[in-house]
Amino acid sequence: MSALLEVSGLRVRFNEKAEAVRGVSITVNKGETHCLVGESGCGKSVSALAVMGLLAKGGIRTADALSFAGQDLRGLTEGQMSRLRGDKMAMIFQEPMTSLNPAYTIGSQMAEVLVRHRGGSKRAALDRAAALLGRVGITAPGLRLGQFPHQLSGGLRQRVMIAMALMCDPDLLIADEPTTALDVTVQAQILRLLMELQAELGLAILLITHDLGIVARMAHRVSVMYAGKVVESASAEALFAAPTHPYTRGLLDCVPIPGKIARGAPLGSIPGTVPRISLGFQGCGFRDRCGHADASCAQDVPAQSFAEGHDYACRLPAGWATERAA
Amino acid sequence: MSATIEIRDVAKIFRQFSGVFTAPRMVRAVDGVSLTVPAGGCFGIVGESGCGKSTLARLILGLHPASSGDILVDGRSLMAMPRRERARLIQPVFQDPFSSLNPRRSIHDIVGLPLAAQGISGSEITKRVHAMLERVGLRAEMAGRSPAQLSGGQRQRVAIARALVLGPRIVVCDEPTSALDVSVQAQILNLLADLRRDMGLTLVFISHNLAVVEHICDEVAVMYLGRVVEHAETDALFRAPTHPYTRALLASVLTPEPGLGIPDVGLGDAYPDPANIPPGCRFHPRCPMVTAACRTELQVPRRVGERVVECMLA
Ligand SMILES: Nc1ncnc2c1ncn2[C@@H]1O[C@H](COP(=O)(O)OP(=O)(O)OP(=O)(O)O)[C@@H](O)[C@H]1O
Ligand SMILES: Nc1ncnc2c1ncn2[C@@H]1O[C@H](COP(=O)(O)OP(=O)(O)OP(=O)(O)O)[C@@H](O)[C@H]1O
Ligand code: SF4
Ligand code: SF4
Ligand SMILES: [Mg+2]
Ligand SMILES: [Mg+2]
């Protein structure tokens, strides 16, 4: 598989005191879903926005490498970036209303994307919009094209967002919690759609979520973030079979899995909360919540491999968790 | 110690006004619900957004008057009960720990408010507030802080402390962990389970998260468009969901098991509108099993073995 998006050593800060993203590396291959999970505030959205060149004012991005389809994104001007966005790389934001303009109909907003990037007539663009709305499971596309965002339910709006992101046949789709606000039945419909589109079009998806169920069902690869860093990265199978970083293990213990844990029995939990990470912070960001922390965890944490393609950042040896269980 | 709740054919209709010249929309948020919540149990209510879960919760809490029907606790009508007495009996925990706590008050005042409203003296309030904070896993010294100085999980602990400080017998939790991180959610669920056991509470637990409901509830009611379409013991419901909506709902649950893919739920996009309830079975526009009769014949709850189902196929 070929790497479509390559991010290495990505750092983001908004002020002189704190760093939101502290050296994140992620590769998304063509036709693959890469899930980004982690505690609220760990830097998932900021990482995605940094890749898209959409950081809020004052956000400073640096990276050792940042390339899309072989093109280095670091040197691009804002004009060049905006030609890529919505075209070859598209993003679905968590709150659909922030990216839909309440003053324009669904049809004119969808058509505008295509006309801006590819030219052609508005008529042709509307036809494509209608076809895509049908594709995302909207039964009366003609009617929806003429409606305004506030006239649609949350589930419909989110489908519109997905259809809009697909207007220009992107190669990469970054989806930030695309189904968090939706009912589980609608969520299943939308995720299924993304999987179908991926199978058909070879779409690469960077999917941000905090839902481990979605990760298990959707991801080819998973990166677990904590306090601005990727602490573990593996294929979905490997991550669920042999979670190795103590945070990943803690996270997996927190979710009730029917049949695996008796009803009413206490769930695992991670005591404490996420620390604030100041600039120049040293050592493991998880150490004040980790049951395995020792003095060495305040020094730099080694990057280790559990197996080929399964990496984690912790002082503990690769087999620690399985040896203990055995 | 704990109390039984009997909900008898309760309805709540809201009038939504959209303009001076247009007729108000009559939103049938809860439309004829009958349920018995057994004493000391944890009773789950699930269903999609807008199906009336929170409205039912607010009816049980006495925060809305019912349009019709009645709710009884241990045989006594809630509607007729004085407010102070109701507050000693039933308390809420809401979803959003960020907006449900007054940002200008100290934690001490927030947790102590229900006690003050009962006319309890200042020093006694402080004593009970400190004891309650420690019971929910907060240090007593946090009493001096404001909500903004606490994390989401800590704020939800404050909300639970406030709900429990009067020693109620029923606690109605409306999405108590939805705004929290997975790791914090587990802490709060464990706390609720402990408190229920120790204090003999009856818990009504509303959640979108079916895995959580399966884990902590003894019985579950599934709501659709203002009605309970299935009600059963948790094991029975999850082992053999009977109503087509319950089946779709449970099929949509994504357990963290890799390789299972995403199920096809087949519900289409005909989202329901509680101001415009379809004739016949109200689920028929989305039901994968729909027949001609479903479009005209009104469905009523029917007992099928140990469960209650509102579908002609059951
Ligand atoms: N515009 C901004 N200015 C200053 N700090 C910011 C800004 N945007 C984000 N941050 C900070 O950066 C950190 C990472 O935020 P981010 O939104 O990436 O978290 P997240 O992992 O997406 O969390 P969630 O799961 O809650 O969406 C947080 O501490 C946040 O407060
Ligand atoms: N105070 C109100 N005035 C008018 N309509 C209301 C009011 N409260 C609720 N509704 C309407 O009643 C219906 C049921 O709402 P309710 O909040 O009970 O749903 P819910 O099941 O709790 O949904 P969610 O899962 O999104 O919280 C909705 O259509 C809602 O718009
Ligand atoms: S490096 Fe130390 S503190 Fe960090 S996860 Fe590993 S054992 Fe825990
Ligand atoms: S009565 Fe008919 S439409 Fe309603 S749930 Fe049963 S099969 Fe479906
Ligand atoms: Mg985010
Ligand atoms: Mg609600």
Side-chain angles (χ1 to χ4, degrees):
Chain A
M1 271 194 232
S2 53
L4 184 66
L5 178 70
E6 270 192 285
V7 179
S8 158
L10 177 70
R11 290 178 173 271
V12 178
R13 64 191 154 87
F14 292 97
N15 53 51
E16 294 309 315
K17 288 193 283 289
E19 213 172 15
V21 175
R22 309 185 292 138
V24 159
S25 300
I26 289 169
T27 301
V28 189
N29 294 321
K30 192 167 158 23
E32 191 179 84
T33 299
H34 192 129
C35 279
L36 203 52
V37 274
E39 205 93 348
S40 182
C42 70
K44 305 181 294 293
S45 298
V46 169
S47 300
L49 292 170
V51 167
M52 294 293 281
L54 289 174
L55 284 175
K57 263 235 315 276
I60 299 167
R61 172 187 85 184
T62 59
D64 300 333
L66 182 56
S67 72
F68 173 72
Q71 183 178 23
D72 193 339
L73 298 182
R74 287 174 303 175
L76 296 191
T77 63
E78 175 48 32
Q80 288 167 319
M81 265 321 282
S82 76
R83 277 195 288 285
L84 269 180
R85 278 196 300 264
D87 188 356
K88 285 293 153 206
M89 49 200 292
M91 181 155 176
I92 303 171
F93 298 88
Q94 179 168 359
E95 175 43 63
M97 278 319 256
T98 56
S99 36
L100 286 173
N101 188 330
Y104 294 91
T105 61
I106 301 299
S108 57
Q109 296 188 52
M110 288 184 72
E112 197 268 340
V113 177
L114 190 65
V115 173
R116 173 158 44 97
H117 288 292
R118 299 288 164 85
S121 72
K122 181 157 186 207
R123 186 66 257 158
L126 282 171
D127 287 345
R128 175 159 173 81
L132 278 170
L133 288 182
R135 193 69 193 73
V136 299
I138 289 180
T139 43
L143 169 75
R144 303 306 180 191
L145 285 177
Q147 287 185 314
F148 290 90
H150 72 267
Q151 293 174 294
L152 306 182
S153 70
L156 282 174
R157 259 183 239 144
Q158 201 60 304
R159 289 179 204 222
V160 166
M161 287 301 306
I162 294 176
M164 196 148 115
L166 297 173
M167 278 303 275
C168 298
D169 265 329
D171 297 323
L172 173 71
L173 181 64
I174 299 184
D176 191 355
E177 306 266 9
T179 57
T180 303
L182 305 177
D183 285 309
V184 289
T185 52
V186 181
Q187 167 173 288
Q189 286 173 292
I190 286 178
L191 295 177
R192 228 182 123 77
L193 169 76
L194 288 179
M195 286 181 104
E196 285 167 16
L197 291 169
Q198 181 165 65
E200 264 170 50
L201 308 171
L203 195 61
I205 303 175
L206 179 62
L207 180 62
I208 299 175
T209 177
H210 63 268
D211 184 330
L212 293 167
I214 295 180
V215 175
R217 305 303 189 90
M218 293 286 290
H220 298 98
R221 282 199 72 79
V222 187
S223 290
V224 181
M225 281 186 74
Y226 192 84
K229 282 197 161 159
V230 172
V231 296
E232 186 158 4
S233 179
S235 71
E237 291 75 24
L239 191 91
F240 283 89
T244 299
H245 192 280
Y247 172 67
T248 314
R249 294 191 70 83
L251 196 61
L252 290 178
D253 283 343
C254 290
V255 288
I257 302 179
K260 287 227 176 107
I261 167 163
R263 176 126 52 78
L267 298 167
S269 68
I270 307 173
T273 48
V274 192
R276 262 187 71 80
I277 302 288
S278 51
L279 214 59
F281 180 91
Q282 281 268 311
C284 177
F286 189 53
R287 67 176 182 265
D288 53 356
R289 299 177 79 186
C290 179
H292 307 277
D294 71 8
S296 72
C297 302
Q299 261 105 62
D300 268 334
V301 185
Q304 305 201 62
S305 280
F306 180 86
E308 170 81 35
H310 183 168
D311 305 317
Y312 67 101
C314 169
R315 69 172 184 89
L316 295 168
W320 74 272
T322 39
E323 277 157 23
R324 209 181 42 153
Chain B
M1 267 296 281
S2 30
T4 308
I5 312 170
E6 238 186 291
I7 301 168
R8 289 193 184 158
D9 199 21
V10 163
K12 179 69 194 178
I13 300 165
F14 293 110
R15 297 154 70 86
Q16 282 179 350
F17 297 92
S18 47
V20 195
F21 301 109
T22 43
R25 278 165 40 94
M26 305 294 267
V27 176
R28 312 188 75 86
V30 170
D31 200 13
V33 166
S34 297
L35 283 174
T36 301
V37 177
C42 180
F43 192 95
I45 302 176
V46 300
E48 69 190 355
S49 184
C51 71
K53 303 180 296 296
S54 296
T55 305
L56 185 59
R58 297 176 80 82
L59 288 165
I60 297 174
L61 286 159
L63 297 173
H64 284 318
S67 304
S68 62
D70 202 1
I71 299 178
L72 293 84
V73 174
D74 287 344
R76 296 182 53 211
S77 171
L78 269 187
M79 321 269 165
M81 200 178 285
R83 248 177 85 174
R84 276 187 174 192
E85 194 183 338
R86 206 170 52 212
R88 285 197 302 268
L89 191 61
I90 308 184
Q91 283 287 328
V93 176
F94 292 116
Q95 166 173 0
D96 190 353
F98 301 91
S99 62
S100 69
L101 306 179
N102 185 338
R104 284 182 300 275
R105 296 291 197 118
S106 69
I107 301 307
H108 174 278
D109 290 356
I110 289 168
V111 177
L113 190 66
L115 295 168
Q118 299 283 338
I120 291 167
S121 78
S123 60
E124 176 66 18
I125 290 179
T126 302
K127 212 175 85 193
R128 289 214 222 163
V129 165
H130 286 182
M132 202 63 234
L133 288 179
E134 285 180 3
R135 184 62 195 85
V136 300
L138 295 172
R139 279 166 289 137
E141 75 214 35
M142 286 196 179
R145 296 203 197 164
S146 73
Q149 293 168 302
L150 303 183
S151 71
Q154 289 171 332
R155 284 184 237 206
Q156 204 53 304
R157 286 175 195 269
V158 169
I160 292 171
R162 177 181 59 183
L164 294 178
V165 76
L166 285 177
R169 292 158 66 198
I170 301 167
V171 174
V172 178
C173 305
D174 191 354
E175 308 267 7
T177 61
S178 308
L180 304 175
D181 258 315
V182 192
S183 67
V184 184
Q185 164 180 300
Q187 298 168 15
I188 298 295
L189 292 174
N190 290 342
L191 173 65
L192 283 172
D194 277 358
L195 293 167
R196 170 162 81 105
R197 199 172 341 98
D198 297 352
M199 304 174 76
L201 298 172
T202 302
L203 273 190
V204 176
F205 190 90
I206 294 173
S207 178
H208 272 119
N209 189 328
L210 288 131
V212 165
V213 167
E214 179 174 10
H215 182 70
I216 74 162
C217 296
D218 312 308
E219 284 182 36
V220 182
V222 180
M223 286 186 73
Y224 186 81
L225 208 45
R227 289 183 71 84
V228 171
V229 295
E230 185 161 359
H231 169 201
E233 287 193 349
T234 308
D235 286 334
L237 190 94
F238 281 83
R239 200 173 348 97
T242 302
H243 193 282
Y245 176 66
T246 314
R247 283 196 220 157
L249 194 63
L250 297 194
S252 314
V253 178
L254 306 177
T255 51
E257 299 167 284
L260 295 185
I262 309 283
D264 183 2
V265 279
L267 285 191
D269 73 341
Y271 297 114
D273 174 5
N276 191 3
I277 290 182
C281 170
R282 58 186 67 201
F283 184 54
H284 87 252
R286 295 168 79 193
C287 182
M289 325 270 288
V290 62
T291 65
C294 302
R295 295 179 218 276
T296 52
E297 282 172 31
L298 203 67
Q299 298 301 311
V300 292
R302 288 190 298 124
R303 185 161 277 283
V304 183
E306 288 297 296
R307 67 179 81 204
V308 175
V309 187
E310 194 169 90
C311 165
M312 64 162 71
L313 298 182

